[in-house]
Amino acid sequence: MQNKFIVSSSPHLHTPDSTGGIMFDVIIALLPATIYGIIIFGYRAALIILVSIVSALLSEFVWNKLTKKENSLYDLSAVVTGLLLALNLPSSLPLWMAAVGSAVAIIIVKQMFGGLGQNFVNPAIAARIVLLVSFPAAMTKFYEPFGEIVSSATPLAAETGAYNVKDLLLGMHAGSIGETSSLLLLIGGIYLILRKVISPAIPCCFIGAVFVFSLILGSDPISAIFSGGLFIGAFFMATDYVTSPAMPWGQIIFGVGCGLLTVIIREFAALPEGVSYAILLMNILVPHINRLTARKPFGTEAANNE
Amino acid sequence: MKNNKYLSFFTNGIIKENPVLRLMLGTCPTLAVTTAAINGIGMGVAATLVLIGSNLVISLLRNIIPDKVRIPAYITIIAGFVTIVQMLVKAFLPAIDASLGIYLPLIVVNCIILGRAEMFASKNPVLPSVLDGLGMGIGFTATLTLMGAIRELIGAGTLLGLPVTVNFINPMIVMLLPPGGFFVFGILVAVSNKLASAKGKKTVDCNSCGNCPMKDSCKIESEVATDAQ
């Protein structure tokens, strides 16, 4: 009889999901785009990805040793950060710059704020922006797929209509290693949604908002959503648990905000691409969005009205 | 014994109560001008001269200035010294003047100077006040020079204008921009807090009013403190 009543402290229900499991799903979802990037941009892309991941793991390891923290390599979050950063870099980037980027992502953006779960912006995005601001020439030197040593403009910087939708979907254009094929990123994103790793609210609102606002401002909405880093940003970076709102309404505000900022930066700023900056800016607003959309416990409103 | 006391007035500002890293004062010029080591030295020396002068005069007048108008009186005295320093820099060091720009006249509202007037010079005799000004000034100059050196080395690959790494690796331009200033400042504060806690000293708190020189005479501070409890 005694064995039937187990006395324990809360929480009594817990999910079998672990950080490592979720991160492993993200890695699987990114694999098609990663492999495709290596195929079209060659061995240089593979080297960048390798260096970026190794540097991320090494930074995490060294930080944990220096601060005498528990080893956190097995939660795979450093691998995801390194991989995401590498997919957002051009394949021509000097390898040491990729290594510096990963170290910035892990040490400055993540660990200095308290490690996984405490970072206030997405480490991979912040690191990409640090690299973009630090090495503007190297960070905007893109290769054509299967190209020789030719640097060229991405579809966003090129003349309108230079690429058709099929090329944009399949990623047959210049760009960062993992951002070119919207189709493969979409497949990865759908996998994450089906596995319930991410909710569709943020990516759908983000991409939808870019579509609508591009249409309003008079540019081609189809190529606007398939070009640049929109799909990788919307599915893999804006959906980071730590730096996106928790409630459904908050996620909608967040997604639409990201889309609006992206279009504004693309159309009016001196930068060709605005996805990273848009996500970074909205990351900073997340605490406010969370406060705004927090559910009020039943009955408190009536009490306030009295 | 007495010498030791005077020595501690002087050394206080250099490490134990370093104005930038321990008192969290003067953050604006710290972040704004430290794009190169030489700017840090220039800003630090200019602020030190003003600090010594204003501490001297405010300490002399501490029993004459009525309590209710002390802040305007301090600001007027400080502005006088800033004007003198600004004219001297403009006349003899035009390059420094150009790189410091608006931050040179803005020494008037540098919280280190008003802070030391309020916290120290208005309560202490002349000699300790001058020594305090000198120590605080050296602490400020040293911190600014260190920050400027770090940002210049990584951001431009040079040190005091001489090429160090610029010929081998691309400098990280972000370190010369505002985010780089915040990175270096944050890391230096973290390191100084770490060293302080390792020695069993109090760490700097992030309460915005906690480090304010006006907190004794300010009503908001006590309300914030009550809220925090």
Side-chain angles (χ1 to χ4, degrees), chain A residues 50-78:
Chain A
L50 193 70
V51 166
S52 183
I53 292 175
V54 168
S55 165
L57 286 170
L58 203 66
S59 307
E60 182 110 345
F61 178 76
V62 169
W63 178 271
N64 285 338
K65 278 273 169 246
L66 283 180
T67 56
K68 302 188 180 75
K69 272 194 188 171
E70 213 177 306
N71 180 5
S72 55
L73 294 186
Y74 297 113
D75 71 12
L76 296 179
S77 65

Side-chain angles (χ1 to χ4, degrees), chain A residues 96-97 100 112 130 133-135, chain B residues 170-174 177 183 187:
Chain A
W96 69 269
M97 288 183 187
V100 167
M112 288 220 157
V130 166
V133 175
S134 295
F135 315 112
Chain B
N170 288 29
M172 286 182 79
I173 300 164
V174 72
L177 303 173
F183 288 162
I187 292 170

Side-chain angles (χ1 to χ4, degrees), chain B residues 13-14 16 58 71 97 197 212 225:
Chain B
I14 299 175
K16 209 174 118 207
I58 289 166
I71 303 294
D97 179 61
S197 71
C212 176

Side-chain angles (χ1 to χ4, degrees), chain B residues 79-96:
Chain B
F81 280 103
V82 170
T83 313
I84 296 170
V85 168
Q86 195 191 349
M87 284 173 168
L88 288 172
V89 173
K90 265 194 201 308
F92 296 106
L93 299 160
I96 295 280

Side-chain angles (χ1 to χ4, degrees), chain A residues 15-290:
Chain A
T15 156
D17 295 345
S18 63
T19 310
I22 290 168
M23 293 297 168
F24 191 64
D25 267 340
V26 176
I27 293 171
I28 291 176
L30 281 168
L31 268 185
T34 309
I35 293 167
Y36 187 70
I38 295 171
I39 293 170
I40 63 172
F41 292 117
Y43 76 97
R44 200 76 180 59
L47 273 181
I48 297 258
I49 293 168
L50 193 70
V51 166
S52 183
I53 292 175
V54 168
S55 165
L57 286 170
L58 203 66
S59 307
E60 182 110 345
F61 178 76
V62 169
W63 178 271
N64 285 338
K65 278 273 169 246
L66 283 180
T67 56
K68 302 188 180 75
K69 272 194 188 171
E70 213 177 306
N71 180 5
S72 55
L73 294 186
Y74 297 113
D75 71 12
L76 296 179
S77 65
V79 177
V80 170
T81 300
L83 180 60
L84 267 178
L85 174 66
L87 294 183
N88 280 287
L89 299 175
S91 56
S92 60
L93 195 76
L95 294 175
W96 69 269
M97 288 183 187
V100 167
S102 277
V104 166
I106 296 293
I107 291 178
I108 293 185
V109 188
K110 191 170 102 177
Q111 296 292 5
M112 288 220 157
F113 287 90
L116 186 68
Q118 306 291 324
N119 48 300
F120 72 109
V121 293
N122 184 305
I125 287 193
R128 178 177 183 270
I129 289 174
V130 166
L131 289 178
L132 185 66
V133 175
S134 295
F135 315 112
M139 279 294 287
T140 49
K141 202 172 147 207
F142 297 109
Y143 280 53
E144 283 288 344
F146 309 111
E148 298 295 308
I149 312 158
V150 188
S151 68
S152 69
T154 65
L156 276 171
E159 295 270 320
T160 330
Y163 292 89
N164 60 35
V165 175
K166 189 178 134 243
D167 279 355
L168 289 173
L169 265 179
L170 294 179
M172 292 309 288
H173 59 82
S176 301
I177 295 169
E179 72 170 20
T180 57
S181 173
S182 302
L183 186 66
L184 293 174
L185 290 166
L186 183 65
I187 291 169
I190 289 171
Y191 171 79
L192 287 185
I193 291 169
L194 290 180
R195 294 276 297 165
K196 296 211 161 74
V197 172
I198 62 173
S199 100
I202 292 173
C204 291
C205 291
F206 193 166
I207 295 167
V210 169
F211 186 91
V212 171
F213 291 121
S214 299
L215 194 68
I216 293 172
L217 286 171
S219 50
D220 178 11
I222 304 283
S223 61
I225 61 170
F226 289 133
S227 51
L230 181 58
F231 271 62
I232 192 167
F235 281 108
F236 294 96
M237 301 172 87
T239 53
D240 179 3
Y241 290 147
V242 186
T243 55
S244 65
M247 305 306 286
W249 270 111
Q251 296 184 342
I252 291 169
I253 296 171
F254 180 82
V256 172
C258 284
L260 178 65
L261 284 172
T262 300
V263 175
I264 289 174
I265 294 170
R266 280 183 181 178
E267 297 288 332
F268 301 111
L271 298 156
E273 175 59 311
V275 171
S276 315
Y277 284 97
I279 297 174
L280 193 77
L281 284 169
M282 291 307 290
N283 278 169
I284 296 167
L285 291 180
V286 164
H288 305 289
I289 297 175
N290 273 339

